[in-house]
Amino acid sequence: MNPVIEADKTSNSEGFNQEDWSSAYCNVDKEYKKTPLKLIKGEVPKDLNGTFYRNGPGRLERKGDWVHHPFDGDGMISSMQFKDGNVTLSNRFVRTKAWEEEEKAEKFLYRGVFGTKKSGLSLSNAFDLRLKNIANTNVIKLGEELLALWEAGSPHSLNPETLETNGIANLQGALSANEAFSAHPRFDPGHYNDNSRMVTFSLKTGPKSTIRLMEFANKGESTGSLITDRKDTFNGFAFLHDFAITPNWAIFLQNALDLNPLPYLLGQKGAAQCLKSNFKKKSKFWLIPRDHGIFSKTNPRIIDAPNGFVFHHLNSWEKNDEVFVESIFYKDFPSIEPNTDFKKIDFNKLPEGVLKRCRINLLTNSIEETTLSNQCCEFAMVNPRKVGLEAKYSWMAIAEKETGNGPLQAIKKLDLSNGEFHTWSIAPRGFVSEPLMVPHSSSKEEDQGWVLVLIWDGELQANELVVLKAKDLSHQATLRIPIKIPHGLHGSWAESKEF
Ligand code: CO
């Protein structure tokens, strides 16, 4: 066999093959209940006990009509339960109202926020402003409820064991109908010595934006109950996918974006396609005081932020009069054009995600910006016990190439104090998703534990669940997943003792 031709098959000059990457996009065709996963390599640690929940689009095509963007795909939950060195898989679509209706009709009945049109006549999309809650962005456990989250609507409540959908969750009456409840709660590990809390928000936006900041108990008898609740209104439109917390602040970044709703109203574009960077405007940090912190009941602080667009923050912490916020910055909002096939996306045309730290001085309102990692990254996290505190380490998904954008093909552990790092790569034919760092239950060391990641192998045309050692990303175990799962979004870990 000619080795040159063989090499061309596996990767192009960019180091990967577009078809290997895009072949992960398919409909999930089967739902499993506690199916044991086959161990391919290594050994699953016996002291890793709990459930890795993961959400992402699972239905991308109906009778030949494709979603315009995978973010419009219906949420499908995977649950990988670790017990005494064995892992079982359950997976189930969230039975949203729209999913049930579209399954029955065998076509798209709703428009998607990212540009998916209804099946049939394109004119029927105009002025149809119904939102399809697709429950596809994140999945977290709060008390006995598993919540499938999608930021423009209510959470869906699921059974944590069977993944059956119980319906719309209102969190013990805390949420009103269709409240735009964030898909990015932050879990405070215990800053007020009263155990863990889930800190989260909902958003109403337009010419002004109102953030409702909520904190829910996450341990003990009152788990799931609303502890604190405040509302603050800011000038301008806001697209807030994520935020960060410290013991005293909830930190938001208002990206300098404009929304032109006309193409959305006319049915030509999805709402998210109508967003555009406005380089004449300044991005702003909005710091909202947490209700049990030392600035409680005071007004939020508004501080000019560096240029760029942020989906995700890594972490935030305080030192004296300064707040440090670490975020993944893009030069521009990565817009989703109406006439492109997402499977053929040219990564070279997308801005890369750069991990930066902003040091905000609260006395002078000044900001100092440093770059922590230039290599294109996404889905970064610290040890969950370090949320809101200064962390030494971070784990993230990165592109294989050192500059520019590219598909995520490797995992990086970064020492935030000195830039030292470890990587684990499955390029050229493999692709990673969000890595989840699970700390060792009895170790106090910040980087003791594991990293769980679902990968797509273009050569095998299969997903695998990979366990790495958090300390140096050395391989621990690989298990085969019996279904094809498209590149997904966010997930979480629930310790087994919580069941
Ligand atoms: Co996100």
Side-chain angles (χ1 to χ4, degrees):
M1 191 181 286
N2 183 332
V4 176
I5 292 173
E6 182 61 24
D8 280 347
K9 256 193 212 169
T10 55
S11 61
N12 61 15
S13 59
E14 294 295 323
F16 73 99
N17 179 309
Q18 189 90 10
E19 262 179 54
D20 279 342
W21 172 78
S22 65
S23 58
Y25 289 117
C26 58
N27 287 334
V28 175
D29 56 4
K30 209 168 168 189
E31 294 183 323
Y32 281 98
K33 281 183 188 166
K34 300 215 172 166
T35 297
L37 294 183
K38 190 178 164 202
L39 184 71
I40 303 293
K41 210 164 77 179
E43 199 182 345
V44 178
K46 289 200 166 51
D47 46 358
L48 175 60
N49 289 297
T51 305
F52 174 22
Y53 291 110
R54 189 179 170 280
N55 200 349
R59 170 58 93 160
L60 300 167
E61 175 265 329
R62 290 191 186 275
K63 289 254 168 100
D65 285 334
W66 279 80
V67 293
H68 184 68
H69 191 285
F71 290 176
D72 278 341
D74 300 273
M76 200 277 310
I77 310 293
S78 309
S79 132
M80 287 148 277
Q81 227 172 69
F82 288 68
K83 202 175 173 200
D84 304 327
N86 296 303
V87 187
T88 58
L89 169 82
S90 303
N91 72 295
R92 205 163 196 274
F93 277 93
V94 184
R95 266 51 173 182
T96 63
K97 180 177 161 278
W99 186 87
E100 301 265 23
E101 289 169 359
E102 291 185 345
E103 280 290 295
K104 212 167 148 194
E106 297 185 323
K107 60 181 178 180
F108 292 120
L109 300 171
Y110 293 86
R111 298 172 64 191
V113 170
F114 290 89
T116 302
K117 294 190 172 170
K118 297 195 281 185
S119 302
L121 287 173
S122 71
L123 271 179
S124 68
N125 290 280
F127 304 108
D128 183 349
L129 308 184
R130 296 173 304 161
L131 274 183
K132 174 185 172 187
N133 184 335
I134 46 176
N136 73 355
T137 312
N138 201 351
V139 54
I140 53 114
K141 193 161 172 270
L142 182 66
E144 292 313 306
E145 262 185 322
L146 188 68
L147 301 172
L149 304 174
W150 179 69
E151 69 194 27
S154 308
H156 280 78
S157 169
L158 315 176
N159 180 310
E161 277 289 318
T162 65
L163 306 182
E164 277 160 1
T165 305
N166 299 323
I168 297 286
N170 69 11
L171 306 187
Q172 302 183 17
L175 301 184
S176 55
N178 298 321
E179 191 163 341
F181 190 72
S182 166
H184 272 285
R186 293 276 169 179
F187 288 87
D188 172 334
H191 296 147
Y192 304 128
N193 299 320
D194 64 349
N195 284 324
S196 164
R197 291 175 176 202
M198 181 176 88
V199 187
T200 189
F201 66 98
S202 64
L203 173 72
K204 258 190 194 161
T205 191
K208 285 183 182 289
S209 298
T210 300
I211 295 173
R212 180 183 179 200
L213 185 67
M214 292 166 271
E215 306 203 8
F216 294 87
N218 189 35
K219 277 240 165 90
E221 275 178 22
S222 59
T223 295
S225 62
L226 186 64
I227 309 171
T228 75
D229 190 4
R230 68 174 276 169
K231 274 186 185 169
D232 293 276
T233 299
F234 301 85
N235 284 329
F237 168 79
F239 172 80
L240 302 174
H241 175 66
D242 193 10
F243 79 130
I245 56 166
T246 68
N248 292 305
W249 301 102
I251 298 145
F252 295 83
L253 179 55
Q254 180 199 27
N255 295 292
L257 290 178
D258 283 339
L259 175 74
N260 170 15
L262 197 62
Y264 169 60
L265 298 175
L266 295 176
Q268 295 156 347
K269 285 185 176 184
Q273 291 176 299
C274 300
L275 296 170
K276 215 171 177 263
S277 289
N278 181 341
F279 295 105
K280 286 182 197 144
K281 280 199 214 164
K282 277 300 270 178
S283 297
K284 306 273 182 197
F285 275 116
W286 294 341
L287 273 63
I288 301 180
R290 289 181 59 190
D291 267 348
H292 290 150
I294 55 175
F295 305 108
S296 170
K297 311 294 175 207
T298 65
N299 289 329
R301 310 284 184 94
I302 301 173
I303 298 145
D304 281 351
N307 286 333
F309 178 83
V310 171
F311 280 112
H312 294 124
H313 301 285
L314 165 62
N315 194 27
S316 185
W317 77 93
E318 298 166 49
K319 207 184 252 176
N320 303 321
D321 296 313
E322 293 181 313
V323 174
F324 296 77
V325 191
E326 292 158 343
S327 319
I328 299 167
F329 277 84
Y330 295 86
K331 278 199 186 85
D332 191 2
F333 176 69
S335 61
I336 309 135
E337 297 304 327
N339 297 316
T340 51
D341 177 351
F342 72 84
K343 289 186 246 93
K344 297 192 176 125
I345 196 156
D346 183 352
F347 285 94
N348 286 316
K349 290 192 176 141
L350 296 176
E352 68 271 25
V354 174
L355 185 63
K356 291 186 181 184
R357 177 184 291 153
C358 290
R359 178 179 183 163
I360 305 172
N361 186 314
L362 294 176
L363 297 180
T364 60
N365 276 359
S366 60
I367 285 209
E368 203 183 292
E369 187 189 335
T370 42
T371 297
L372 299 172
S373 174
N374 262 316
Q375 194 162 4
C376 185
C377 69
E378 252 306 337
F379 301 130
M381 74 178 288
V382 297
N383 181 320
R385 294 170 193 154
K386 287 286 182 182
V387 169
L389 307 171
E390 183 173 4
K392 185 167 164 61
Y393 301 110
S394 166
W395 291 264
M396 65 197 79
I398 57 168
E400 178 68 10
K401 58 181 193 175
E402 283 174 23
T403 55
N405 197 311
L408 302 170
Q409 295 189 282
I411 304 296
K412 181 173 183 171
K413 177 209 180 194
L414 177 65
D415 184 325
L416 297 162
S417 68
N418 59 19
E420 285 175 11
F421 61 91
H422 292 274
T423 55
W424 178 84
S425 168
I426 43 165
R429 303 205 66 179
F431 302 87
V432 303
S433 54
E434 178 187 64
L436 195 78
M437 191 275 172
V438 179
H440 194 282
S441 54
S442 59
S443 172
K444 293 246 179 301
E445 265 184 77
E446 192 182 323
D447 60 351
Q448 196 65 254
W450 298 275
V451 173
L452 310 181
V453 59
L454 203 61
I455 64 157
W456 171 252
D457 186 318
E459 186 178 7
L460 294 171
Q461 287 290 297
N463 291 96
E464 288 178 330
L465 169 62
V466 175
V467 184
L468 306 172
K469 291 188 182 86
K471 204 174 196 61
D472 58 3
L473 299 185
S474 57
H475 181 266
Q476 174 75 52
T478 297
L479 301 112
R480 182 68 47 81
I481 301 284
I483 39 165
K484 286 171 78 172
I485 304 176
H487 302 298
L489 295 164
H490 301 291
S492 61
W493 174 257
E495 295 270 344
S496 60
K497 61 177 184 273
E498 289 176 18
F499 282 115

